[in-house]
Amino acid sequence: MKKTDHKMHPETHMTSLGYNPFWSEGAVKCPIFQTSTFAFKTAAEGKAFFELAYGLREAEAGEKLGLIYSRLNNPDLQILEERLAVWDGADECAVFESGMSAISTVMLEFLSPGDLLLFSNPVYGGTSHFMYHILTKFGINVISFTADDTKEDLIRIVNESGYADKLKVVYAETPGNPTNALIDIEMLREVCDNFATEDNEIPLVIDNTYLGPVFQHPMQHGADMVVYSATKYIGGHSDVIAGAVSGKRHLMARVKELRSFLGNMAGPWTGWLLMRSLETLKIRMEKQVDNAQKIVAFLNNHPKIERVSYLGNLEEGTRQKDIYDRMCLAPGAMISIYIKGGEKEAFKFIDNTVIPKLAVSLGSTESLIQHPATMTHAGVDPEEKVYLNITDNLVRLSVGVENPDDLIWDMKQALESL
Ligand SMILES: *Cc1c(COP(=O)(O)O)cnc(C)c1O
């Protein structure tokens, strides 16, 4: 794009930011830089690049890290990262080979043995497993809270844990998977600030996979880093596994350094696929929300349905609605349907649908349907499942870009079979 003072919207940047066609024979699209290593013009240039990469000296004004080796940097990743950071108004972004590698790298960088992690429950099943079974193996203390807890509750929970001075990360997934429960990011900022000291910064990390990066911007509400499973809406076509972290520069420098040594960056082909996906991200998500709202309007008050948990259904005057109004720009395209009955009725409904694929994952162009209690959240402790509303009659629908009338027809005929 030619230089201009006009401030562009994020979706306008998605087709051109960070790439100049004349770097690549005039190719309008950024090519796939399928190379492991990059040539230096001179030995002195190689030395200068490594001095920056290893932090042996400060960058000179306007100096950027040169291309060295694809575990450290690659144009497909760097351009993608520049574009992704725009959505969150973040200083920097780092792309990973999966959402789990993005999440685990952040945790491992900011937590050490003896430290305390406070996190929201429920979270994605893989995240929950990582918190409870991997971090604890390294002597990290973990405690969770739910959407019902207030600021006072959280401060009390941390103080009662006996590790208040060891609190090092606060992590939340909002809306939570699979129930759509919202967590107040602004409240969590206050909790972090309550325990932070001059030499103990407590980063607030938000998993924004469900609504982001289009319909929720956690950094505007006090988050320091935002994590994504880019496998979901960002990738959006169920054809790639990837993850991302966007955030403040000094924190992202640490995340990128650990990524260099764990070697879990995404490859150039993944970077290229995600750049392609980013060009349609906003229109896909807008269409998916539009479809979801139409489907929910049909499902609400259906005689075979107990209730529909959807962000567009929140009641005025409730705490959840207040959080929604402050933080979310749209109700998303994830519908949690509580069928009348139990597992038998839920399975029958799922098996009788024609259009959605019976598969886990979410946020793709095709609709996806699944049964959280026996699939994505099969590993959650039975008592905790009840407490978190992950009941046997819950069906999770991720709405795609199909024609909404066809999807409604499908819901209708599948419900009539019950
Ligand atoms: C899928 C998912 C993850 C994990 O991402 P992967 O790309 O599968 O590693 C993390 N958080 C949420 C909310 C998810 O839906």
Side-chain angles (χ1 to χ4, degrees):
M1 211 185 282
K2 292 180 187 116
K3 279 229 176 322
T4 156
D5 290 336
H6 176 72
K7 193 174 179 320
M8 307 285 176
H9 292 82
E11 61 270 33
T12 307
H13 279 311
M14 292 307 110
T15 55
S16 44
L17 186 70
Y19 174 69
N20 178 345
F22 299 102
W23 293 339
S24 305
E25 311 281 3
V28 164
K29 289 291 150 181
C30 178
I32 305 173
F33 288 85
Q34 192 68 46
T35 184
S36 58
T37 191
F38 295 87
F40 309 131
K41 291 196 186 86
T42 60
E45 187 185 71
K47 177 182 173 187
F49 288 2
F50 269 93
E51 282 170 346
L52 271 199
Y54 280 92
L56 303 178
R57 64 174 171 86
E58 292 289 306
E60 285 167 31
E63 185 185 7
K64 282 199 180 150
L65 179 62
L67 292 164
I68 295 177
Y69 182 69
S70 287
R71 177 157 49 73
L72 307 180
N73 51 13
N74 176 289
D76 291 296
L77 294 199
Q78 287 188 324
I79 298 166
L80 169 66
E81 286 164 354
E82 205 174 320
R83 291 182 189 177
L84 266 172
V86 166
W87 289 99
D88 285 302
D91 299 326
E92 281 192 38
C93 172
V95 188
F96 289 82
E97 60 188 352
S98 69
M100 280 315 303
S101 57
I103 293 165
S104 55
T105 301
V106 168
M107 293 300 137
L108 292 174
E109 176 55 34
F110 293 97
L111 292 164
S112 301
D115 286 348
L116 176 67
L117 164 71
L118 175 69
F119 74 100
S120 67
N121 209 359
V123 285
Y124 177 73
T127 308
S128 169
H129 185 93
F130 186 78
M131 308 297 198
Y132 283 125
H133 300 288
I134 313 287
L135 287 180
T136 51
K137 216 167 72 177
F138 293 101
I140 293 159
N141 304 292
V142 303
I143 46 174
S144 69
F145 64 94
T146 72
D148 294 333
D149 289 317
T150 62
K151 180 183 162 189
E152 289 66 37
D153 291 331
L154 294 183
I155 291 175
R156 183 179 42 77
I157 291 170
V158 171
N159 280 327
E160 284 175 1
S161 75
Y163 299 104
D165 59 332
K166 289 288 188 180
L167 180 64
K168 288 292 161 71
V169 175
V170 175
Y171 179 98
E173 186 177 305
T174 180
N177 183 358
T179 55
N180 270 329
L182 294 171
I183 308 275
D184 188 342
I185 300 169
E186 291 165 3
M187 173 193 77
L188 292 184
R189 176 77 266 158
E190 291 172 19
V191 172
C192 291
D193 292 345
N194 181 80
F195 290 100
T197 58
E198 207 165 304
D199 42 29
N200 183 27
E201 180 180 7
I202 303 173
L204 174 58
V205 185
I206 301 295
D207 184 332
N208 196 29
T209 300
Y210 251 50
L211 282 184
V214 175
F215 298 128
Q216 182 170 260
H217 302 119
M219 292 187 68
Q220 291 176 8
H221 303 286
D224 298 300
M225 279 174 283
V226 186
V227 297
Y228 292 100
S229 169
T231 309
K232 313 296 167 53
Y233 288 100
I234 293 172
H237 295 74
S238 295
D239 56 7
V240 64
I241 297 275
V245 185
S246 291
K248 294 183 178 164
R249 194 174 315 281
H250 68 291
L251 302 172
M252 291 307 300
R254 290 179 55 180
V255 171
K256 283 189 175 175
E257 185 180 338
L258 184 59
R259 183 183 67 170
S260 291
F261 295 104
L262 292 177
N264 55 359
M265 71 297 154
W269 170 228
T270 296
W272 187 90
L273 276 173
L274 291 183
M275 272 195 272
R276 183 179 180 135
S277 288
L278 276 186
E279 298 191 10
T280 56
L281 174 71
K282 190 162 183 231
I283 57 165
R284 278 187 281 112
M285 289 191 79
E286 282 172 347
K287 171 69 176 167
Q288 285 168 282
V289 169
D290 198 47
N291 278 357
Q293 286 176 309
K294 290 181 173 140
I295 293 168
V296 169
F298 166 77
L299 296 176
N300 280 339
N301 307 317
H302 190 286
K304 300 283 170 67
I305 290 177
E306 186 183 291
R307 69 187 172 94
V308 180
S309 176
Y310 179 63
L311 295 179
N313 276 351
L314 296 175
E315 276 172 47
E316 287 299 337
T318 60
R319 182 170 175 218
Q320 287 285 302
K321 178 73 163 106
D322 168 57
I323 299 174
Y324 177 84
D325 287 342
R326 280 184 287 122
M327 249 152 292
C328 311
L329 303 172
M334 296 299 297
I335 310 178
S336 301
I337 308 169
Y338 293 85
I339 303 281
K340 276 188 188 157
E343 183 184 290
K344 185 164 151 269
E345 288 74 17
F347 277 16
K348 193 163 183 205
F349 170 64
I350 292 172
D351 288 338
N352 281 322
T353 58
V354 177
I355 300 170
K357 303 284 182 291
L358 170 47
V360 299
S361 197
L362 59 100
S364 188
T365 47
E366 76 285 331
S367 295
L368 295 164
I369 198 163
Q370 65 110 3
H371 187 250
T374 59
M375 295 170 194
T376 47
H377 293 69
V380 179
D381 176 271
E383 273 170 41
E384 198 165 78
K385 263 188 207 158
V386 177
Y387 177 60
L388 298 172
N389 291 322
I390 307 172
T391 46
D392 289 339
N393 64 335
L394 170 62
V395 173
R396 189 187 78 178
L397 177 68
S398 166
V399 179
V401 299
E402 300 94 341
N403 183 292
D405 295 337
D406 293 342
L407 289 168
I408 290 169
W409 163 83
D410 198 14
M411 295 296 115
K412 186 165 185 278
Q413 65 81 24
L415 285 167
E416 273 164 11
S417 73
L418 296 181

